[in-house]
Amino acid sequence: MISGRQALAEIERFIQKARQQEAQVERAYTKATEEVGRLRLQRTEAFRELARLKLDAIRQNQVVGELDSAEREAISLLQSRQQALQQLTERRHEAEQQVRQAEAERQAALDDLQRALADAETIRKSVEAKISTNAEWMSVRARVDEIAGQAQQAEKKAIQAEADREEKRRPYEADPLFMYLWRRKFGTAAYRANPFTRYMDRLVSGVVRYDQARANYALLNEIPERLRDHSRRIVEKLQEERSNLKVLERKALVEAGSEAAEAEVAKARDVVTHREAQLAKAREALAAQDRTYDASILEGDAPYRDAVELLAAADQREDLHRLYEEATRTPTPKDEEIVRRIQSTDKLMNSALRQAVETHKKLKELAQRRATVEQQWEQLRHQGYDTPYGTFGNEASLGNVLGGILTGAVGGAILGQVLRDGFHHGPSPWDSGFGGGLPIPPPDGFGTGGSFGDGDFRTGGSF
C-alpha cells in the first residue's frame, strides 16, 4: 500500500523517464537526418568528379558551378535548421528544469505543511485525551449524546408519519365530494357561501359524513407537521449543546497552545498555495514549449525537406543523368570507382532515410504517450488524489500499467481508472470536528469537503 502522494510521484517519475526516452530518440532522429544530408552532399561530390572527368572545361564549369550553388544553399538550410532545433531543445530543457525545481519547492512546502499539521494534531489528540475525563465536558457530552438519540428517534417518527400521510390520505383525496367541501373550507370559520349553496353543501356533507372525515383528514395532515416541528426543535437544541461542547474543547485547545501551532499551519498552507501557483505557471510554460516542439519535430521538418529537394533537383539535371549512364557503359578505372561510390552512397542514404522515418514515428508515439499520462496525472491531482491521507492498495497494478504505457502495450487512458479503483481516502486533520475543527481552510487535496475525487469518496454524518 502506498500513499496518494507516492502514487502521483511515481507517475511523475514515469513522465520524467518518458521525456528522457524522447530526448534519446530525438538525438537519434537528428543524427539520422544529418546523415541523410551528409550523404546527399557526398553523392553530389561524386557526380562532380564524374563531371570533371567527362566534360570539357566550359561545360564542366557550368555544371560544377550549379552543383556548388545548390550545395551551398542546402548546407545553409541544414545549418539553420540545426541551430533552430538546438535552440528549441534548449528552451524545452530549461522549461523542464523549471518544472522540476517548482515541483521540488512544492514538495518541500507540502512536507512543511504536514509537519505543522502533525504538531497541531499532536496537541489536539493530547487535549482530546485529557478533556475526556473533565466533569463539565463529560456532562455536556452526555447531553449531546442523549439529545442526538432523541433527534434520531424524532426524525424517524417524522419520516414515518409523512409516509403514512402519503398512503392514508389517498382515499380522502379520491372522493370528489369530500375534496369539494374541503377546498371550500366547509365547517370552518373561513367557509363563505350564499344560503342556497350552504343548504346544498350541508346535504353533501351528510352524504359523505364530512364532519368525521374532515377531522380525521385534518389530523392526518397535522401530525407529520407537528412531528417535523418537534424534530427541528430537538435538532436546534442539539446544535446548541454541540456548540457548548465545542466552546469547552476550543478553550482547552487554546490553553494547550493550539493557536501557535495553527498559525504555523496557516503559514505553511499559504506557502503551499504559492508554490502550487508557481508550479502551475511552470507547467503551462513547459506545455507551450512542448506544443512548439511537437509542431516542429512531429508535424514536419520543412527546412530539411527543402534542402533535400534542392539537391535532388540538381541531381536530376539531364547532364548529370547522362554522366552516370556514360560512366556505367564505358567505364574507366576511375569511373568504376566513382560509380561504385555513388551506388554505395545511395544504399547508405536509403538506410539513413528509413532510420529517420522510424525514429520520427517512435518520437511521435512517445510524445503522445507522455502527453496522455500528463493529462491523466493533472486531472487526478486536481481531484485531490495526491493527498497525503489517501492510499492506494493496487500499487502493483499501477507499476504494471506505467510499464505497459512506456512500452506501448497499454493505453494511457487506463491509468486514471486504475488509480480510481485502488484509492481510499483516510481521515485528515481537517476532518476532525473536535473544538470546531481546524480554523483554517485546507489547500486542494488535503480536506474532503464532503466528497472526494469523482464523488466516490464521501465523509460526514447526520445531525
Side-chain angles (χ1 to χ4, degrees):
M1 184 175 291
I2 59 175
S3 71
R5 185 148 297 148
Q6 288 173 323
L8 266 72
E10 185 174 345
I11 298 175
E12 288 179 11
R13 288 191 292 272
F14 164 84
I15 293 172
Q16 182 60 30
K17 188 174 182 180
R19 285 184 176 276
Q20 291 172 354
Q21 277 195 349
E22 281 186 67
Q24 292 175 354
V25 176
E26 177 195 329
R27 288 192 290 271
Y29 173 66
T30 301
K31 182 178 180 181
T33 54
E34 289 177 348
E35 180 67 4
V36 171
R38 185 188 69 79
L39 291 170
R40 294 292 307 186
L41 296 179
Q42 181 176 309
R43 186 171 183 270
T44 299
E45 179 59 31
F47 273 105
R48 184 183 294 113
E49 291 187 42
L50 280 177
R52 292 192 184 102
L53 288 173
K54 296 293 182 180
L55 300 179
D56 56 47
I58 296 175
R59 195 158 179 76
Q60 172 183 317
N61 289 338
Q62 178 184 0
V63 174
V64 173
E66 289 182 3
L67 285 174
D68 286 342
S69 175
E71 179 185 24
R72 285 193 299 271
E73 189 173 350
I75 290 175
S76 176
L77 286 170
L78 291 173
Q79 287 178 341
S80 298
R81 170 57 180 156
Q82 187 174 5
Q83 291 173 359
L85 179 60
Q86 182 177 358
Q87 292 173 358
L88 181 60
T89 301
E90 288 175 355
R91 289 196 297 269
R92 190 168 180 247
H93 288 168
E94 289 175 2
E96 289 174 351
Q97 181 59 35
Q98 291 294 326
V99 168
R100 285 193 291 271
Q101 181 179 348
E103 285 174 344
E105 291 174 349
R106 170 183 175 268
Q107 186 58 53
L110 287 170
D111 292 341
D112 290 342
L113 177 56
Q114 282 187 259
R115 283 191 289 269
L117 283 169
D119 293 340
E121 187 75 351
T122 298
I123 294 174
R124 181 190 66 78
K125 289 180 178 179
S126 174
V127 171
E128 196 168 359
K130 290 179 181 178
I131 202 172
S132 63
T133 61
N134 179 276
E136 184 180 6
W137 183 88
M138 292 172 64
S139 176
V140 178
R141 176 78 252 185
R143 288 201 300 273
V144 168
D145 292 341
E146 179 184 359
I147 298 172
Q150 295 173 0
Q152 289 177 345
Q153 291 301 318
E155 178 70 11
K156 288 180 181 178
K157 290 180 180 179
I159 291 174
Q160 184 61 51
E162 289 166 350
D164 290 344
R165 176 181 59 189
E166 294 302 316
E167 180 67 25
K168 293 178 179 179
R169 70 182 183 181
R170 290 174 185 170
Y172 295 95
E173 294 175 355
D175 187 337
L177 295 177
F178 171 81
M179 292 307 298
Y180 161 77
L181 295 174
W182 175 266
R183 294 191 184 98
R184 291 183 61 83
K185 296 182 174 57
F186 183 81
T188 70
Y191 176 70
R192 295 289 186 273
N194 59 48
F196 177 76
T197 302
R198 283 177 180 272
Y199 173 75
M200 295 303 297
D201 286 349
R202 278 196 295 271
L203 292 178
V204 172
S205 173
V207 172
V208 300
R209 298 180 180 178
Y210 179 75
D211 291 341
Q212 181 181 356
R214 183 181 68 83
N216 292 337
Y217 186 68
L219 188 61
L220 183 64
N221 284 281
E222 185 178 352
I223 288 176
E225 294 300 329
R226 289 182 179 181
L227 290 175
R228 177 58 62 191
D229 289 340
H230 177 63
S231 176
R232 291 193 188 99
R233 287 194 297 271
I234 294 179
V235 170
E236 289 172 0
K237 186 177 180 181
L238 175 62
Q239 291 172 342
E240 181 181 350
E241 290 298 335
R242 279 185 169 173
S243 178
N244 294 335
L245 188 67
K246 289 178 181 179
V247 169
L248 289 175
E249 293 171 346
R250 184 61 190 170
K251 180 181 178 182
L253 285 170
V254 172
E255 290 174 353
S258 67
E259 288 182 321
E262 291 164 356
E264 289 299 317
V265 171
K267 180 180 177 182
R269 190 278 317 270
D270 291 343
V271 174
V272 167
T273 301
H274 176 64
R275 295 304 185 195
E276 287 280 5
Q278 287 185 321
L279 179 57
K281 185 177 180 180
R283 285 193 178 123
E284 184 179 349
L286 176 57
Q289 291 296 329
D290 282 340
R291 288 191 294 271
T292 303
Y293 176 85
D294 291 348
S296 178
I297 294 297
L298 306 182
E299 296 178 7
D301 199 343
Y304 168 73
R305 291 199 308 270
D306 291 344
V308 171
E309 291 298 325
L310 184 66
L311 292 177
D315 283 355
Q316 291 169 3
R317 291 181 65 256
E318 181 181 354
D319 290 315
L320 293 178
H321 277 294
R322 191 170 70 252
L323 284 174
Y324 191 94
E325 292 170 359
E326 289 176 359
T328 57
R329 283 199 304 269
T330 58
T332 64
K334 183 66 174 175
D335 287 344
E336 283 189 38
E337 188 272 329
I338 296 174
V339 170
R340 283 197 300 270
R341 196 193 315 161
I342 292 174
Q343 292 172 337
S344 176
T345 301
D346 283 344
K347 292 179 180 179
L348 292 173
M349 187 168 60
N350 289 334
S351 176
L353 281 170
R354 284 195 298 271
Q355 179 68 17
V357 170
E358 290 171 1
T359 53
H360 182 279
K361 181 180 178 181
K362 186 176 181 180
L363 186 61
K364 184 175 182 178
E365 291 173 351
L366 283 172
Q368 289 173 337
R369 292 177 206 158
R370 182 255 308 158
T372 300
V373 173
E374 284 180 330
Q375 183 181 18
Q376 290 283 327
W377 178 89
E378 189 68 26
Q379 289 176 355
L380 292 165
R381 193 179 70 84
H382 279 302
Q383 291 169 356
Y385 281 70
D386 66 341
T387 171
Y389 308 104
T391 57
F392 287 90
N394 59 348
E395 63 271 23
S397 298
L398 175 60
N400 292 336
V401 168
L402 289 175
I405 293 172
L406 198 61
T407 60
V410 177
I414 197 174
L415 176 62
Q417 186 60 48
V418 169
L419 289 174
R420 281 186 284 271
D421 289 345
F423 184 80
H424 171 72
H425 187 273
S428 82
W430 271 282
D431 296 325
S432 172
F434 185 82
L438 277 173
I440 308 156
D444 292 341
F446 269 76
T448 62
S451 63
F452 199 79
D454 288 331
D456 297 330
F457 313 98
R458 298 189 178 276
T459 63
S462 60
F463 304 109

